[in-house]
Amino acid sequence: MLCVLPFQGLNKTKTQMKKILVLIPAFLLAYQISKAQTEKGSQTLGLNLQFSHQQSTTAGAAPGLSSYDINTKSTNYSFGPVYSYFIADKLDIGISPYFAYNKFDTKYTTPELTGNNQIMKQYGANIFLRKYFMFADKLGLRAGPYLGYFRYHNQIINEGIQPSGPANSNNYLAGANADLVFYPTKKLGFSASLANVNYQHSVQKDGSTKSGDGDNFNASFVNNGLAISVFYVFGGK
């Protein structure tokens, strides 16, 4: 039995085939670009940026005092360069030194209590290993472990009181993080932090005297502050 396609249907089929033939090279090109960005031998050089600001007012109470409010405000930011090298396809290793500044202000709406502000400065670096999971031609995830060290200078200044000397601390980190990555072009990439968990060991000093040490487990997610990175891709084949 002979089946004859209508002329209109035949033209439609030819049009669809042409579209497919045009899209195949485009998909292959996108795949090659994505592969080149995360292939062995490629390198990235970029800048990490993080910023967060919070402000709140809570009710306070103390014996002998009328009701009052406690106004708190915190501002945090950090920045630093980051370099990585792909030791295998979709696997890179790198280092990221950084500087961070944190300020916490506390004010009371009663004259019987003095406000204060706390200023903390950090200097540190992390070394990391990251595995990439690309589920689109330009979009994916990366995650992996890291080791870090930072030293901070912490000083609390009370209103109307002579400030004391700053306290210093040496801190050692071991953790893991996950980022969302996006490549708008072959040579340019962006990332945004999704999650970060770590174990931290701290050794505190007041002046030249050790005042104690401590251990902490920390977990932060994207809603804890905006952490982004922009980087340039070079090297590779």
Side-chain angles (χ1 to χ4, degrees):
M1 180 176 180
L2 181 64
C3 179
V4 180
L5 290 174
F7 181 75
Q8 185 177 8
L10 184 61
N11 284 343
K12 184 177 180 181
T13 302
K14 289 182 178 180
T15 302
Q16 291 174 341
M17 288 299 298
K18 289 180 179 180
K19 289 181 178 179
I20 292 174
L21 292 175
V22 171
L23 288 175
I24 288 175
F27 282 131
L28 290 175
L29 178 60
Y31 172 76
Q32 291 297 328
I33 290 175
S34 176
K35 182 179 178 182
Q37 291 164 333
T38 58
E39 70 178 1
K40 182 179 180 180
S42 294
Q43 303 174 65
T44 66
L45 181 63
L47 179 67
N48 287 333
L49 298 169
Q50 183 171 5
F51 175 81
S52 66
H53 178 80
Q54 295 179 338
Q55 190 168 349
S56 64
T57 300
T58 58
L65 296 179
S66 58
S67 61
Y68 60 91
D69 291 333
I70 306 172
N71 300 315
T72 59
K73 181 172 61 176
S74 66
T75 302
N76 312 285
Y77 66 82
S78 67
F79 62 90
V82 57
Y83 168 80
S84 74
Y85 176 81
F86 282 84
I87 57 176
D89 289 350
K90 298 183 180 180
L91 183 67
D92 69 348
I93 187 172
I95 184 170
S96 57
Y98 66 91
F99 169 77
Y101 176 88
N102 309 297
K103 184 178 181 182
F104 305 89
D105 291 308
T106 303
K107 302 291 184 183
Y108 301 92
T109 58
T110 177
E112 288 83 3
L113 298 175
T114 59
N116 63 72
N117 63 68
Q118 180 179 3
I119 298 175
M120 184 169 65
K121 299 177 182 179
Q122 298 181 19
Y123 310 85
N126 296 326
I127 56 174
F128 55 80
L129 181 70
R130 301 181 299 202
K131 177 66 176 178
Y132 287 69
F133 305 90
M134 304 301 294
F135 50 82
D137 59 340
K138 296 182 179 182
L139 190 67
L141 296 172
R142 67 185 184 194
Y146 67 90
L147 296 174
Y149 164 83
F150 71 87
R151 178 178 176 84
Y152 79 70
H153 304 272
N154 183 38
Q155 187 168 23
I156 299 177
I157 303 174
N158 294 297
E159 293 178 347
I161 300 176
Q162 184 69 26
S164 58
N168 300 316
S169 175
N170 295 313
N171 301 267
Y172 308 88
L173 303 171
N177 56 22
D179 301 322
L180 178 70
V181 291
F182 173 63
Y183 296 95
T185 69
K186 182 178 179 180
K187 295 295 185 180
L188 184 65
F190 294 91
S191 71
S193 177
L194 298 178
N196 181 13
V197 294
N198 65 63
Y199 165 79
Q200 176 181 333
H201 176 70
S202 303
V203 179
Q204 300 177 1
K205 289 185 176 182
D206 290 323
S208 60
T209 305
K210 179 180 177 181
S211 60
D213 54 15
D215 298 281
N216 293 288
F217 176 80
N218 305 295
S220 62
F221 301 93
V222 64
N223 61 335
N224 291 103
L226 179 63
I228 62 173
S229 176
V230 57
F231 49 91
Y232 175 74
V233 182
F234 62 100
K237 296 179 183 179

